[in-house]
Amino acid sequence: MFSANPSTFISVESRKGGVGKTTVALALAANLIEYGYAVLFLDTDLVGTRLQRDVVKRMGVQLEECILKGAPANLLTLYKDYYLKGKALPSLFSTPPSPNCGYFIGSDIYNNENKDGKRVEAGEIEDPRVLYDGFHAYWFLEFIKSIVDSFQKRFFDKPVVVVLDNSPGYSSIEKITHDFVTDLGINNGKILFVSSMDSQDVNACLDSVQDIRSQLQDKQNTAFYYDNLTKGEKTKKPKSKVSDLMWERITALDEDATKKVIDSFNNEITLTGLIGMVVNKVPRRLMKSRLDISSFSLSKNKRDIVSLIGDIEWIPFLEHASYQYYPQILFESLASSEDTDAVPSRFSRINPQEVSVSLSRKGFSANWMALVSVDDEYSRFIDSGQTAFDGFFDSKWSPLSIFRDLFQDCSDEKLTSVGDFNSSHDSFMTYLNGSPEQLSAKSKEEEFVGTYLISIFDEKEKGKSILEQFSKIEARPVDGEDYSGVTESDSPATHEIPQFERLYSDYLSAVRQLKNVVNYCDALSLLMESFSRKKELIETLNLHDIRHLMHDIISTDQSKERLDELKESIKDEIFLRDVRLSTSNLLKRWELI
Amino acid sequence: MVFSLSNAKESIDFLKNGFYASYDFIDQRKYEAVSALFQKEKLFTYEKAFRCLNTRLSKRYFYDILFFQLTALDYSTAVFPSYVFIMAEDLIDDWLATVDPHKDFARDHNVHQPLTASIAAKLLGYGDSSRALKISLSPGNLLDYCIEKVLGPRCASFLSYAKDFGLPSCYFCDDKSKALSKEVWKSLFYQSVILAALFHDMGYPWQYVHRVDKTLRMIDIRKFASESFSADIARRFKNRLVLFPFQSYCYPDNQPLFNKEEELNKKIEIALNNTHGFPGALSFLSLHDAVKTFPPQSTYSRVRDFSVEWAALGILMHDMPGIHKKNWPDLRIDFEKDPLSCIISLADFLEEFNRPYAEFRHSSLNKNNAKLISYKIACESSSISISKTGIMTIEMSYKDKRSYALANDFKRTETEDYFNLCNGYLDLSSIGVNRVEFHPKLIK
């Protein structure tokens, strides 16, 4: 307690499961590694899925897994078999250390064995005691501190950041972590809340923010009170449980240590320096203008809390990535709400053209919290032949619609920052080596292109037809050149020329775009292979290759796996770009990068 | 100042504790070893104990137990973690006593102890001087008065013990920072009082065993607490606060606390054989020793440790009126030499409300002539006030005539034993009380 631990602790938490906590935590780690930190990523989500090496790799985060006796180290096993038995912790970090200075340790309760030597099943699990038993939670944190100490010794010449990927909810570990982090102060302690757009979830996070705020306030008041007493001045003693415990701790210290604590609390406490919040999985549409989080709060004073946290980062979800909330329901509920004058719109900062109705409080929360499985919804829409599935999966697909959409979106302000498509190769290379700032400009383009590409993959047959069209029009040289190579039957009739011209124009744009697309697509696949090969491929790609590649992807049965792989990697990569951008903003605000 | 169940339930929030506390003073290896032993022996779990109680008791009484026990458990996680190992047995033991049809004075410590804690807390204003019981002497309230006495000349031995124990320097400031010392002692005192009140009757089963033993001794089979046993205890707990009263609260010049071994052993034997306070205090300390770190890891844990030692003293002294009267007249306590024990004894005396008793009656419908048992609450509330002329008035309200009559008899005698100005166990003259009046009331 109050020890001057030079490591920085970032506790990533959520009050609800599946909001993307691990993804955000990994993105934080990725950014920190990029900026030269030694990062220790601890999967303290004890009841969640074990963090797997391939997930970390797929997310493009340079973390190496800690190995113990030839198998991946497990935090809970280490805790039980070493810490609780009073044994010294084994060496966890490889020698020589990983060049990226990043390690992670997973945890998995299901890997433990029960008395009969069988794998522990849900229901007979003992270890989550740490989650509700105060002693175990406290010891678990002490145990983590001892791991961090050994990490610190290994990377003594580097700034160390520890990322704790916590369990959802509010377990004893979070409670004790908050206490520890608020003791560490804003220089070395950070708490990052990840929330979905569910109002209940947001409110739960804001409640926790409020708790931490009062904890800090109580500690500060107690420190001041103590200071005053030593000077012979008496002020009113703060009364709260935190104050009492702080009082106990502070009075047990020697003079120098006490002075240090008082000094650490002497500065003005800014929650912005300590707490960050990320709202994840925000529909793209709502991202066009930034949302006001206070509009999600059910009580008015939450606005004050929001102003204390400062700006909140928003991470959009890619429509194709998995998500739990089906936004269409929200829009329907918005549109159908009749109670227009009950309360002002909760989306006051959203483009009024998008949401022009006001909502009743009741209607809002009821619909907002509806949980829908997107897969089911999608199937239902497709099966029923409905077409008005706007924005997410376009069932009115046609080759031209790709171009139409392309042009529409190209003219949209979304893509204006991308610049000339011909230079996209360069910008793509920048992207690969890019800093988060540069990512910012690219991420929108990539998201769009990725979406487009996936929509092609999703419609194989239609994809074939567009390829056929490509084949027909590809042979057409630029204006003023020979038409050779075009068969007679393929040659456009005179009366079709305007259409042909239009198609050709479309084609040129599409090719520009497609080149970009395929570069991107291939680059993503090659991320999993090697950088040099990717570079070479990108440089040598031409129209023929593109067509060939797409043809391969679309028509070859064998390519199915590759297709899936690509789709997955595109999803992950695009999502990671967004997350990394948002988290890097947070890290900047915390002055860590 | 009025004390009643509803009052206590409202104010018992003071016991609730979070997990912010440091558990530096607990050795995880020892704790795990005791846990493993419990699992191996398949001892009662408190879930099971609560289930048994739920089956056997009236709903109201059960929920009183549940509420107070869970609150006590919550508090104990931070200050006396080994409680978790005795709680189930404690509950079961009380349950057996409560439903025993052969006893009309049912055991109720599961509720009585937390309620005593609530009274002690209220007397001390929940740690806030401005809310504590007002007294006529300076500084005008019980809490500040106690702290003044702790830092006063008659507690010099106690203070030197505390210093040797390793309490931080802020507990022994002079002059300018004297206010700081008072504040830190205030917190420690308050915490220790609550802790002692919560566990003051934990030695009760021992007393029961002793009663059986006494009967056995009559037919000369064996002696329960023998001389060698007492000597063993003296050896184990020598130089600890809990044996202070046996040496007239002396701790001269850091010399070994006891030099008259025989006399000490005799006193220990008497205390063991006649009270539940002493065995309770010893069990309390032993349990804590079973899980605490040694040597202590930090100053912080020394403060917590000291709190347990001090609470053990309170547990010991709350039950001494009996042997004070019979065997040991100089055991009388006052606020100047032992304020903590005085508060515990006073709170224990005042906690009469919500204590159940069993009523047995014949059922006219039952041919086997079986008895029906029903549980009733005797005392509804109690109150204490001190007038400016130094008269302390204790009032207790009873609902039925039987309890009222018993109180008039039994409680009056007890009042005399406790508060007689000349030879009562508790010398209240030190807080300006020159007479204690007990008024039982019969209410409709």
Side-chain angles (χ1 to χ4, degrees), chain A residues 226-241:
Chain A
Y226 183 92
D227 200 22
N228 284 337
L229 281 178
T230 52
K231 289 172 189 159
E233 302 161 15
K234 197 169 177 187
T235 47
K236 200 176 176 193
K237 189 181 180 187
K239 286 304 291 178
S240 80
K241 280 157 204 153

Side-chain angles (χ1 to χ4, degrees), chain A residues 35-103:
Chain A
Y35 278 87
Y37 283 91
V39 176
L40 178 60
F41 187 99
L42 298 173
D43 177 16
T44 48
D45 183 359
L46 304 180
V47 287
T49 321
R50 184 192 170 92
L51 184 63
Q52 302 284 348
R53 199 178 313 176
D54 58 335
V55 173
V56 176
K57 202 174 166 189
R58 204 176 74 191
M59 298 290 281
V61 190
Q62 304 295 322
L63 290 171
E64 202 170 288
E65 185 160 25
C66 291
I67 302 294
L68 179 66
K69 294 177 184 169
N74 186 345
L75 269 185
L76 275 172
T77 316
L78 282 167
Y79 172 67
K80 266 184 80 174
D81 296 351
Y82 290 88
Y83 184 77
L84 281 185
K85 290 180 181 170
K87 292 182 191 169
L89 284 172
S91 170
L92 290 165
F93 310 108
S94 55
T95 313
S98 141
N100 297 311
C101 307
Y103 284 90

Side-chain angles (χ1 to χ4, degrees), chain A residues 83-84 86 134-136 138-139 172 176 179 215 225 229-230 232 234 237 241 245 247-249 251-252, chain B residues 16 19-20 22-24 26 28-29 31-32 77 81 168 170 176-177 180 183-184 187 191 299-300 304:
Chain A
Y83 184 77
L84 281 185
F135 310 119
H136 281 273
Y138 177 78
W139 292 329
S172 298
I176 214 100
D179 189 30
Q215 242 189 67
Y225 178 66
L229 281 178
T230 52
K234 197 169 177 187
K237 189 181 180 187
K241 280 157 204 153
L245 288 159
W247 177 251
E248 261 188 53
R249 282 181 208 164
T251 52
Chain B
K16 288 185 181 163
F19 290 143
Y20 302 112
S22 161
Y23 299 104
D24 274 347
I26 301 298
Q28 76 265 22
R29 275 164 295 177
Y31 190 85
E32 286 301 295
T77 49
C170 61
K176 200 174 78 172
S177 303
L180 176 62
E183 280 304 314
V184 290
S187 302
Q191 180 183 306
T299 331
Y300 178 71
R304 284 276 163 119

Side-chain angles (χ1 to χ4, degrees), chain A residues 334-394:
Chain A
L334 287 168
S336 65
S337 174
E338 291 173 2
D339 191 1
T340 51
D341 53 358
V343 285
S345 168
R346 288 174 185 280
F347 301 103
S348 51
R349 288 169 63 183
I350 296 180
N351 184 350
Q353 285 173 347
E354 276 212 318
V355 183
S356 56
V357 289
S358 302
L359 282 167
S360 74
R361 192 170 290 232
K362 197 178 165 190
F364 170 78
S365 14
N367 288 307
W368 189 254
M369 288 186 282
L371 269 168
V372 178
S373 154
V374 69
D375 288 342
D376 293 350
E377 280 301 302
Y378 181 47
S379 314
R380 190 165 60 79
F381 266 80
I382 298 303
D383 294 348
S384 63
Q386 276 182 265
T387 54
F389 210 78
D390 285 346
F392 294 94
F393 301 95
D394 189 2

Side-chain angles (χ1 to χ4, degrees), chain A residues 332-515:
Chain A
E332 282 168 9
S333 76
L334 287 168
S336 65
S337 174
E338 291 173 2
D339 191 1
T340 51
D341 53 358
V343 285
S345 168
R346 288 174 185 280
F347 301 103
S348 51
R349 288 169 63 183
I350 296 180
N351 184 350
Q353 285 173 347
E354 276 212 318
V355 183
S356 56
V357 289
S358 302
L359 282 167
S360 74
R361 192 170 290 232
K362 197 178 165 190
F364 170 78
S365 14
N367 288 307
W368 189 254
M369 288 186 282
L371 269 168
V372 178
S373 154
V374 69
D375 288 342
D376 293 350
E377 280 301 302
Y378 181 47
S379 314
R380 190 165 60 79
F381 266 80
I382 298 303
D383 294 348
S384 63
Q386 276 182 265
T387 54
F389 210 78
D390 285 346
F392 294 94
F393 301 95
D394 189 2
S395 54
K396 291 186 294 185
W397 193 90
S398 71
L400 275 179
S401 70
I402 296 178
F403 299 141
R404 190 186 64 229
D405 291 349
L406 270 175
F407 292 138
Q408 274 178 2
D409 279 89
C410 283
S411 62
D412 193 281
E413 59 174 4
K414 260 182 158 182
L415 291 178
T416 51
S417 60
V418 174
D420 185 5
F421 284 118
N422 289 329
S423 65
S424 61
H425 171 256
D426 294 338
S427 55
F428 182 65
M429 296 310 290
T430 315
Y431 151 70
L432 285 175
N433 304 308
S435 61
E437 292 92 331
Q438 287 160 324
L439 286 179
S440 154
K442 290 297 290 175
S443 63
K444 286 181 178 174
E445 175 203 354
E446 282 146 13
E447 176 251 331
F448 167 72
V449 168
T451 315
Y452 161 66
L453 192 64
I454 291 167
S455 72
I456 294 177
F457 293 154
D458 280 344
E459 305 284 352
K460 269 193 199 175
E461 292 305 314
K462 290 168 185 169
K464 279 181 187 171
S465 72
I466 191 177
L467 273 185
E468 281 165 17
Q469 288 204 33
F470 285 159
S471 311
K472 286 173 191 170
I473 58 180
E474 186 202 358
R476 165 104 188 204
V478 290
D479 288 345
E481 287 188 12
D482 196 3
Y483 280 74
S484 62
V486 181
T487 62
E488 202 171 332
S489 59
D490 287 335
S491 180
T494 316
H495 66 275
E496 287 175 334
I497 284 177
Q499 190 191 354
F500 178 78
E501 288 296 329
R502 189 171 58 78
L503 272 174
Y504 185 61
S505 154
D506 289 353
Y507 158 71
L508 286 178
S509 304
V511 164
R512 285 205 299 268
Q513 185 65 31
L514 266 175
K515 184 178 180 187

Side-chain angles (χ1 to χ4, degrees), chain A residues 76-338:
Chain A
L76 275 172
T77 316
L78 282 167
Y79 172 67
K80 266 184 80 174
D81 296 351
Y82 290 88
Y83 184 77
L84 281 185
K85 290 180 181 170
K87 292 182 191 169
L89 284 172
S91 170
L92 290 165
F93 310 108
S94 55
T95 313
S98 141
N100 297 311
C101 307
Y103 284 90
F104 79 90
I105 309 179
S107 62
D108 185 4
I109 45 173
Y110 299 102
N111 270 344
N112 290 321
E113 289 183 349
N114 62 16
K115 287 172 196 166
D116 308 328
K118 290 177 184 168
R119 263 186 80 174
V120 171
E121 297 291 336
E124 58 164 327
I125 301 162
E126 293 168 13
D127 274 316
R129 284 168 77 173
V130 232
L131 297 179
Y132 58 81
D133 181 328
F135 310 119
H136 281 273
Y138 177 78
W139 292 329
F140 193 71
L141 189 68
E142 291 295 308
F143 152 74
I144 282 174
K145 282 189 217 165
S146 58
I147 294 183
V148 173
D149 280 347
S150 85
F151 187 73
Q152 182 89 47
K153 278 173 197 155
R154 178 57 64 91
F155 298 101
F156 61 91
D157 54 344
K158 279 190 155 237
V160 166
V161 178
V162 182
V163 180
L164 298 175
D165 178 21
N166 284 299
S167 309
Y170 192 49
S171 69
S172 298
I173 294 185
E174 274 93 20
K175 219 171 183 182
I176 214 100
T177 310
H178 288 176
D179 189 30
F180 172 62
V181 168
T182 47
D183 276 355
L184 282 178
I186 57 170
N187 291 332
N188 292 94
K190 313 281 172 199
I191 300 168
L192 175 59
F193 287 103
V194 184
S195 167
S196 65
M197 277 182 75
D198 179 357
S199 62
Q200 209 176 25
D201 194 8
V202 172
N203 279 320
C205 287
L206 293 181
D207 280 344
S208 299
V209 171
Q210 179 64 55
D211 282 351
I212 294 166
R213 180 194 171 193
S214 35
Q215 242 189 67
L216 270 173
Q217 194 66 56
D218 287 345
K219 286 181 178 181
Q220 190 183 37
N221 290 343
T222 313
F224 287 166
Y225 178 66
Y226 183 92
D227 200 22
N228 284 337
L229 281 178
T230 52
K231 289 172 189 159
E233 302 161 15
K234 197 169 177 187
T235 47
K236 200 176 176 193
K237 189 181 180 187
K239 286 304 291 178
S240 80
K241 280 157 204 153
V242 178
S243 300
D244 288 348
L245 288 159
M246 173 74 179
W247 177 251
E248 261 188 53
R249 282 181 208 164
I250 205 169
T251 52
L253 297 170
D254 59 42
E255 275 179 31
D256 289 346
T258 315
K259 197 170 177 308
K260 215 166 153 186
V261 173
I262 290 166
D263 287 347
S264 75
F265 282 98
N266 219 356
N267 303 318
E268 195 183 335
I269 296 173
T270 49
L271 277 190
T272 324
L274 185 80
I275 302 173
M277 187 162 168
V278 159
V279 178
N280 205 352
K281 302 183 177 178
V282 180
R284 284 271 168 203
R285 293 170 167 214
L286 303 187
M287 292 292 296
K288 281 192 176 175
S289 54
R290 289 179 69 85
L291 293 170
D292 175 6
I293 192 162
S294 57
S295 64
F296 290 92
S297 300
L298 296 175
S299 59
K300 280 181 185 172
N301 63 3
K302 295 276 167 57
R303 288 171 192 269
D304 304 336
I305 305 170
V306 172
S307 65
L308 285 167
I309 312 172
D311 285 338
I312 286 155
E313 291 301 324
W314 299 86
I315 302 178
F317 65 27
L318 184 67
E319 285 81 343
H320 304 276
S322 65
Y323 57 92
Q324 291 156 310
Y325 299 93
Y326 176 42
Q328 191 75 15
I329 285 180
L330 170 71
F331 292 118
E332 282 168 9
S333 76
L334 287 168
S336 65
S337 174
E338 291 173 2

Side-chain angles (χ1 to χ4, degrees), chain B residues 36-49:
Chain B
L37 182 74
F38 258 64
Q39 261 180 356
K40 194 180 161 194
E41 297 291 327
K42 291 185 180 166
L43 296 174
F44 258 110
T45 62
Y46 50 89
E47 290 93 335
K48 196 175 172 187

